[in-house]
Every structure is written in structure tokens, then in C-alpha cells.
Amino acid sequence: MNFRFAIISDPHVAVPQTLPDHTNRFHLVEVSILALEKVLNHLQQLNLDFLLLPGDLTQDGETDNHDWLGKRLRSLPFPVFVVPGNHDLTSINPTTTKIGLHQFPSYYGHCGYNSQQLYYTQEILPGVRIIGLNSTQFNEEGRQLGCLDNEQLTWLENLLPQVKDQLLLVMIHHNVIEHLPNQSNHELGKRYMLDNASLLLKMLSSANCKLIFTGHLHVQDIAEQQGIYEITTGSLVSYPHPYRIIEVQRPVNGSLSLNITSHRVKNVPGWDDLEDISRQWLAERSFPFMVKLLTASPLKLSLAEAEKLAPSLRYFWSDVAAGDGIFYFPDFPVEIRDYFQRFSAVKADGTVSKIDNQAILNL
């Protein structure tokens, strides 16, 4: 078994008439189409078997953006598989400018969906199966949730025993495994987690599933739990503008090996130094976010203390987003210094483990 595929996450496609005009956002949607085209041009030069896009395909679910992207993906010379993200489905019902929840499959019928059902499965290659899940749900009041609904869980429960002998690639937008310290419980991190993540992990583990592909967090990270690896890929419109290429090999009677390489979009027309501009963009908008992080549990600093330390954390989030970061703030009080060191690419035993961007995983 040998094959190669790519991952592009959170491209937030925005055709010109849909570009938002507010400047407080963290990502550069102005370059969404330029960056996507550059990556697609690169991928078309490779002998790819397929491409995965784990959600937030569009800026905010605009009909024009879904229409543009659906047509563009159809033109590619390799199969593409997508799932929706929270930005793709902003309400249950359509509006004059945005699609509704149940319209999504009609734009991506060539990307895994073969019905109006918002989740799917397909054997991509002999013995290799994609399972695309929808983690964007709405409660009775119309508020958006990040979870799997009961109907989808029942479908998955029935499916898994039938396919457990295949190599399963599960794709979902929300994180199932934590990529940040105490992400499931932190007030700033838990909204990126799947609400019923533990249940999904239990189901996947029973089916010998080893691989989950997610997005949403805009961070390059690979995490492992219960023998399952979750590969989350950063946003194409946010520093460091990454995408991944993964080569899978399994010799006859041998173990499965994934060779993961990550690439960055460093420039596009009109943005010759995109990487530096984007890093500075995050830094300039980091202060309110870092104050929230410092005043939140577990640190619970006073506002005055947080505002004093926040400037020293100007590049912290961009370095987290880049993956493989090693963090040390020697001038911080011990408790605060130790907290930020927990974001480093270090194993529980203290050894450095830089696998977020380039890695070989043996399953």
C-alpha cells in the first residue's frame, strides 16, 4: 500500500465582493484565493491520489464563495474530500447571501457527498476509506454547536464494525484530541474542541482507527491519544500559511508509515513578504487575546498584571500556530513561566518532540 495525499485547511475563501471590511480579524482573507491557487498549482505538479480540506472552506458561508470553490475543486485532476466548518454554515436556514445547513452537500457533491446527508464515507483506494463527519450543529434556539448529533453517531456506530479492517481516515473540523494545554476545559480553547470528543474517540478506538484530520484551531500540531493520532493543519490565510503533503507506505506484512511534510505559502502576487506581514498582523492584534489568556484560569492574573506581561507575549500565538515551538520566558514569575512552557513541543518526560511540521509516524 503506497499513496500520497495533501491537506489544505481553513482556506476561508472570499471572492472580492465578499471580503469583510473589519480589521480586527486575525486572518488575512484578502489572500485567500491567491494562496489557494498557488497551493493548487503546486499540488497539480505532484502525483497526488487525493486532497483533504477539513472545513472552514469559506469566509462566512457566502453563496458566492461556496459556488466559486465548488467549481474550482471540480476542475482538479485528483479527487477532493471536504467537510464543513463553523464558518461554512452560520445558520440553519439560508439567507439572501449565505447558504443554509442542508444546502452544503449540493455544492460539494463531487467531494465525498452522494446525498443531502451532511456526513459520508467512501473507499478512496483499495483498503483505504475516508469518513467525513459534520461537527457543525445548531440547537433549538439556532445557536451553533460543535458536536456530532445522535443520528450521525448512530450511522457511525453501524458503519465502523463493517470497515474496521480498512485504513480509516476520519476528517472532522473540530478537534477531537487536545492540541493545547487543558484545551477541553479552558474558556478560550474549549470552543475548538468537539463537545462529545471522548465518545467519538472511544468509537474510533474500538474500530482500530489511527488517524483523524482536523482544522479549526489555525495551528500546526500533531497530537496522540489512546494510540490515535490527530493531525490538525493551520489555516491557509493565517501565519504561517501552511499545507501538508503526506506519503503513506505499508510494505507487505509491514507496519504503516506516514511521512508528513509541511509547506508554507511565503508570497503571493502583491504580497512579496506574506510570511512576515502575516506574523506582524497577528502580533499587532495579540494584546487583547493575551490579556484574556492571562486573566483566565488557571493564571487568573489581575488586569493590571496581565497588561504588564502581554507585550512580552506579542509573538506567542504566531509561534504556537507555526508548530514545534519551544517557549521560555525567564523574566516571568515562576508559575507564569511554567504555564507558558507547557505549550512547548516537549513530551511528558521532558524530551523535545518536534513532529508538528515534519514527521514520520509509524502506526
Side-chain angles (χ1 to χ4, degrees):
M1 177 188 294
N2 297 295
F3 61 94
R4 178 190 293 161
F5 67 100
I7 308 170
I8 300 171
S9 193
D10 297 67
H12 288 272
V13 162
V15 296
Q17 66 269 26
T18 67
L19 281 171
D21 56 9
H22 55 89
T23 58
N24 292 327
R25 54 191 158 72
F26 277 80
H27 45 287
L28 289 168
V29 291
E30 295 91 338
V31 303
S32 61
I33 290 178
L34 294 172
L36 182 60
E37 291 290 9
K38 184 161 188 173
V39 175
L40 293 179
N41 286 338
H42 176 209
L43 298 182
Q44 287 180 94
Q45 298 171 34
L46 308 176
N47 185 27
L48 276 192
D49 288 284
F50 56 91
L51 167 65
L52 303 182
L53 280 83
D56 278 0
L57 312 178
T58 61
Q59 173 53 18
D60 274 314
E62 300 86 354
T63 304
D64 288 352
N65 292 331
H66 281 298
D67 187 57
W68 183 92
L69 183 61
K71 290 175 180 175
R72 183 65 181 92
L73 296 180
R74 188 183 291 275
S75 71
L76 295 174
F78 41 75
V80 183
F81 299 93
V82 308
V83 291
N86 56 300
H87 276 264
D88 297 315
L89 301 169
T90 57
S91 65
I92 297 176
N93 298 313
T95 67
T96 54
T97 59
K98 299 183 180 184
I99 73 168
L101 177 68
H102 298 288
Q103 291 179 299
F104 185 85
S106 63
Y107 287 87
Y108 303 100
H110 53 297
C111 297
Y113 297 92
N114 53 18
S115 70
Q116 290 306 107
Q117 188 172 270
L118 282 156
Y119 42 93
Y120 61 87
T121 185
Q122 186 173 318
E123 188 173 26
I124 317 176
L125 299 167
V128 180
R129 177 171 295 273
I130 182 77
I131 299 176
L133 301 175
N134 170 39
S135 57
T136 301
Q137 310 290 338
F138 295 87
N139 64 14
E140 293 179 356
E141 289 76 41
R143 185 172 68 87
Q144 196 180 73
L145 306 173
C147 64
L148 297 180
D149 59 297
N150 290 333
E151 181 181 287
Q152 192 170 184
L153 287 168
T154 300
W155 171 84
L156 188 60
E157 187 177 32
N158 292 331
L159 171 69
L160 289 174
Q162 304 173 44
V163 299
K164 64 180 181 180
D165 293 331
Q166 296 182 310
L167 173 60
L168 304 180
L169 311 179
V170 173
M171 183 167 56
I172 183 171
H173 187 58
H174 287 72
N175 301 156
V176 184
I177 296 173
E178 290 185 331
H179 296 277
L180 303 172
N182 197 33
Q183 185 182 346
S184 297
N185 300 307
H186 196 281
E187 63 182 82
L188 296 180
K190 63 184 179 182
R191 72 186 183 96
Y192 296 95
M193 293 291 301
L194 189 74
D195 287 348
N196 41 7
S198 59
L199 175 58
L200 178 58
L201 273 178
K202 184 178 180 180
M203 294 173 67
L204 296 180
S205 180
S206 68
N208 198 36
C209 173
K210 302 291 186 184
L211 294 168
I212 306 173
F213 300 92
T214 66
H216 195 25
L217 192 58
H218 289 205
V219 161
Q220 286 283 96
D221 195 78
I222 297 176
E224 181 270 334
Q225 185 176 332
Q226 300 175 24
I228 299 176
Y229 283 94
E230 179 170 301
I231 299 169
T232 191
T233 302
S235 171
L236 197 59
V237 293
S238 185
Y239 181 82
H241 306 276
Y243 59 104
R244 300 186 189 270
I245 297 170
I246 300 180
E247 297 191 33
V248 179
Q249 293 183 324
R250 176 186 275 163
V252 177
N253 299 322
S255 61
L256 191 73
S257 173
L258 270 72
N259 187 349
I260 302 170
T261 60
S262 296
H263 303 258
R264 296 180 174 187
V265 178
K266 297 185 177 182
N267 56 72
V268 294
W271 301 73
D272 292 338
D273 198 3
L274 176 62
E275 203 169 23
D276 184 59
I277 292 171
S278 185
R279 190 165 188 262
Q280 294 301 325
W281 180 275
L282 279 181
E284 290 166 5
R285 288 154 180 77
S286 68
F287 187 84
F289 174 74
M290 297 317 307
V291 168
K292 284 182 182 178
L293 184 60
L294 290 163
T295 55
S297 179
L299 295 177
K300 296 183 178 179
L301 300 185
S302 69
L303 181 60
E305 291 174 308
E307 290 180 341
K308 182 179 179 181
L309 295 178
S312 298
L313 295 162
R314 176 178 173 85
Y315 294 104
F316 174 72
W317 187 250
S318 59
D319 291 340
V320 169
D324 297 317
I326 301 294
F327 300 99
Y328 182 59
F329 298 93
D331 297 330
F332 282 10
V334 174
E335 180 186 2
I336 302 170
R337 183 184 66 207
D338 290 349
Y339 174 73
F340 284 103
Q341 281 185 229
R342 291 173 59 201
F343 287 81
S344 298
V346 175
K347 294 180 181 178
D349 63 4
T351 58
V352 174
S353 177
K354 294 192 173 186
I355 65 168
D356 295 333
N357 288 287
Q358 321 294 337
I360 295 177
L361 304 181
N362 295 306
L363 305 183

